[in-house]
Amino acid sequence: MSNNRGRGLQANALGTFDTVVMAVAGSAPAYSIAATTAVLVGAVGLASPAALLYCAIPMLGIALAFSYLGRIDVNAGASYSWVGRTLHPFLGFISGWALVISATIFMVAGSLPAGSMTLALFDDGLADNTALSTVVGAGWFVVMLLVVLGGARLTVRAQLVMSGIELAILALFAVLAFFHTGNARAFDWSWLGFSHFDGMAGFASGALVAAFYYWGWDVTSNLSEETRNSRRTTGLAGLIGVGIVFLLFEVFTIAVNVILSSKQIDENDANVLGVLGEEVWPGVGGKLLIVAVMLSTIATLETTLIQVTRSLFAMGRDRTMPSALGRVHRTWNTPWVAIAVVGGVALAMFIASNALGSVGDILSDAISAIGLQIAVYYGLAGLAVVVAYRKMLLKSPGNFLLGGLWPLFGAVFMFWIFFESLGELDTAAIAIGIGGLAVGLVPMLWCWRQGSDYYRPARLDATRTVEAEYVFDDHPAPDTRAHEGLSTDF
């Protein structure tokens, strides 16, 4: 399927615990709550906890799809490879491209808060300076670029430190918020129901933002070629990651509903968590949670860089993008050309983003646009697993539910929120979201005309792969073609 004669990525670099940490860091709990809560409240008001709850159920279906597909095809491109080998290579390319574009947009959307949070530690007034936030955020981005360039082991060590501190701070404030007495509202179970949504279109726009909250756990699949026993590990870590961040998201959105007034949320659209911290623990809380958000944002910049560079590496290896992207550094075993290209493009976008307005404005449009692109590639993966496992789904109730019905529900949900929310979003978000996907048609058609083997795929079929040659995790052959499909214990 692909030209894999060059050097591969560093095999067996990550273990199960490392991979779970990467999944949680990919969803960036503190960043998502801080940067996205105002957008979610703007879309659905007090129904924020409900939007996150009802998006978690189909999201688990998509995580199951990634888990089952990862068992039969270990590939750094993840959904790009799976969708291409089950549904159609064109859809596979669009799936990979959706991740590349959404991740690239996120580098700007994520670096701005990293900059403004860092400045807020010293002076709250400086945090609103978009130009200065961009410069500091770009500095953090370059640091993460160098960490990712340094290899998977260095990446996960940095991640353990950043995410460890972030999760400890969040756990502390979850407890403090529970015992807080000065509340703006009393807790109401209706926040977890449907009564606060403005019809189905309102629910869809809330679910689209909620999809952005969860997005990122699938970095584990992009690291599959660098993970020990990845057929089991990457999918399991993704599922655990979704579960952990779901609990954190629910606790903090309920706390925001209880403790903060609508005015406070509206006036602090890019830093809701800092205001919550100040309310819960005056004088210290705001600063501590700003540290958590800053670390979370920097950590998720790292995981997003991994996702986009590993996807581009897989595309370069398959010659569906310039083959140079598939080159691996001799010392660090990382796709250094892809990392350099992504770094250059993102830094250029940082400069351009200064013309777009405030940090809050940029975040709002970017989050909605990324939500559209996430819905596309998650939805396609949900369909791909049903096709790959179609001959095995009726062999047991577990196969049918976990490998078929739940992922299919996840896929249908993703496509539904994509189309339903188009009528709700503003023109800028739709232009970024759909326009970004449309740009991918140019390289796709060009490489198809050039005759890349990717467009003549070996079909992915779980029943055939079960009987395929078993490749031991600890002893990959030199120049292994392990990414082309491995046995499964489905």
Side-chain angles (χ1 to χ4, degrees):
M1 181 177 111
S2 59
N3 176 15
N4 195 35
R5 285 190 288 277
R7 294 175 61 81
L9 299 168
Q10 184 178 3
N12 301 325
L14 307 180
T16 306
F17 180 71
D18 303 330
T19 319
V20 171
V21 169
M22 296 303 275
V24 174
S27 289
Y31 164 79
S32 297
I33 297 160
T36 321
T37 298
V39 182
L40 186 59
V41 170
V44 295
L46 291 171
S48 302
L52 288 162
L53 171 63
Y54 298 120
C55 194
I57 298 164
M59 190 59 76
L60 277 169
I62 302 301
L64 283 166
F66 272 71
S67 175
Y68 281 106
L69 287 164
R71 294 180 188 187
I72 57 174
D73 182 21
V74 175
N75 191 300
S79 61
Y80 153 79
S81 172
W82 305 330
V83 173
R85 293 182 61 190
T86 51
L87 305 180
H88 193 278
F90 283 179
L91 290 174
F93 183 91
I94 289 298
S95 189
W97 184 257
L99 192 157
V100 168
I101 290 294
S102 55
T104 307
I105 295 169
F106 176 76
M107 309 271 183
V108 180
S111 294
L112 280 168
S116 62
M117 291 294 152
T118 307
L119 293 168
L121 287 175
F122 303 101
D123 181 354
D124 284 337
L126 288 175
D128 295 326
N129 185 324
T130 307
L132 198 55
S133 296
T134 306
V135 171
V136 177
W140 278 121
F141 174 76
V142 170
V143 171
M144 286 302 103
L145 202 69
L146 295 173
V147 169
V148 170
L149 185 63
R153 285 200 177 97
L154 175 63
T155 303
V156 84
R157 279 178 195 142
Q159 198 60 261
L160 285 167
V161 174
M162 293 186 290
S163 295
I165 296 169
E166 172 203 353
L167 292 173
I169 294 171
L170 286 180
L172 170 66
F173 275 87
V175 174
L176 291 175
F178 184 76
F179 291 107
H180 182 70
T181 51
N183 299 337
R185 300 177 193 85
F187 172 74
D188 190 334
W189 284 105
S190 71
W191 297 345
L192 294 167
F194 284 95
S195 60
H196 291 284
F197 290 111
D198 182 18
M200 290 310 270
F203 173 69
S205 59
L208 193 72
V209 177
F212 175 80
Y213 269 83
Y214 290 108
W215 176 55
W217 54 265
D218 50 307
V219 65
T220 58
S221 298
N222 298 105
L223 284 165
S224 59
E225 294 183 38
E226 297 155 89
T227 304
R228 286 192 294 280
N229 196 17
S230 64
R231 293 188 300 288
R232 293 186 193 88
T233 305
T234 55
L236 178 64
L239 286 161
I240 293 170
V242 171
I244 291 170
V245 296
F246 163 70
L247 292 173
L248 286 169
F249 291 156
E250 282 298 335
V251 167
F252 277 91
T253 44
I254 289 170
V256 166
N257 270 7
V258 170
I259 296 168
L260 299 185
S261 66
S262 303
K263 185 167 180 262
Q264 284 174 300
I265 296 168
D266 196 43
E267 287 175 354
N268 297 278
D269 53 1
N271 185 22
V272 170
L273 209 49
V275 183
L276 181 72
E278 200 58 42
E279 286 283 331
V280 172
W281 188 357
V284 180
K287 287 278 189 272
L288 265 179
L289 277 175
I290 284 172
V291 170
V293 176
M294 184 184 82
L295 288 172
S296 177
T297 311
I298 298 161
T300 199
L301 279 175
E302 184 189 83
T303 58
T304 310
L305 270 168
I306 287 170
Q307 284 197 278
V308 69
T309 54
R310 297 312 188 265
S311 297
L312 286 172
F313 163 77
M315 291 169 137
R317 180 172 63 188
D318 289 344
R319 300 195 321 281
T320 56
M321 291 284 275
S323 59
L325 293 169
R327 285 186 196 152
V328 172
H329 194 279
R330 285 190 168 280
T331 308
W332 301 317
N333 290 95
T334 48
W336 67 273
V337 177
I339 292 169
V341 167
V342 168
V345 170
L347 289 170
M349 286 174 66
F350 291 156
I351 297 163
S353 70
N354 269 284
L356 297 176
S358 73
V359 175
D361 294 339
I362 294 166
L363 277 177
S364 182
D365 287 338
I367 287 165
S368 299
I370 291 170
L372 289 172
Q373 291 156 354
I374 295 165
V376 169
Y377 88 86
Y378 277 179
L380 288 171
L383 295 179
V385 73
V386 177
V387 174
Y389 280 90
R390 64 193 180 281
K391 296 173 187 170
M392 301 178 71
L393 295 180
L394 297 178
K395 292 193 174 178
S396 77
N399 286 10
F400 181 73
L401 176 65
L402 303 179
L405 192 62
W406 202 341
L408 181 63
F409 167 67
V412 170
F413 183 84
M414 291 296 159
F415 292 130
W416 175 74
I417 60 173
F418 177 89
F419 289 110
E420 191 71 27
S421 59
L422 286 178
E424 293 284 302
L425 297 177
D426 62 27
T427 312
I430 293 173
I432 298 167
I434 306 294
L437 289 175
V439 170
L441 297 176
V442 177
M444 182 182 84
L445 294 171
W446 169 259
C447 293
W448 174 61
R449 292 288 301 275
Q450 298 298 307
S452 164
D453 287 348
Y454 174 81
Y455 293 103
R456 297 186 295 277
R459 306 305 290 180
L460 197 55
D461 183 338
T463 48
R464 280 212 304 273
T465 317
V466 169
E467 296 152 12
E469 176 190 0
Y470 184 85
V471 180
F472 287 98
D473 284 322
D474 297 330
H475 306 288
D479 295 334
T480 180
R481 298 172 69 85
H483 64 278
E484 291 206 12
L486 293 163
S487 61
T488 178
D489 45 14
F490 178 79

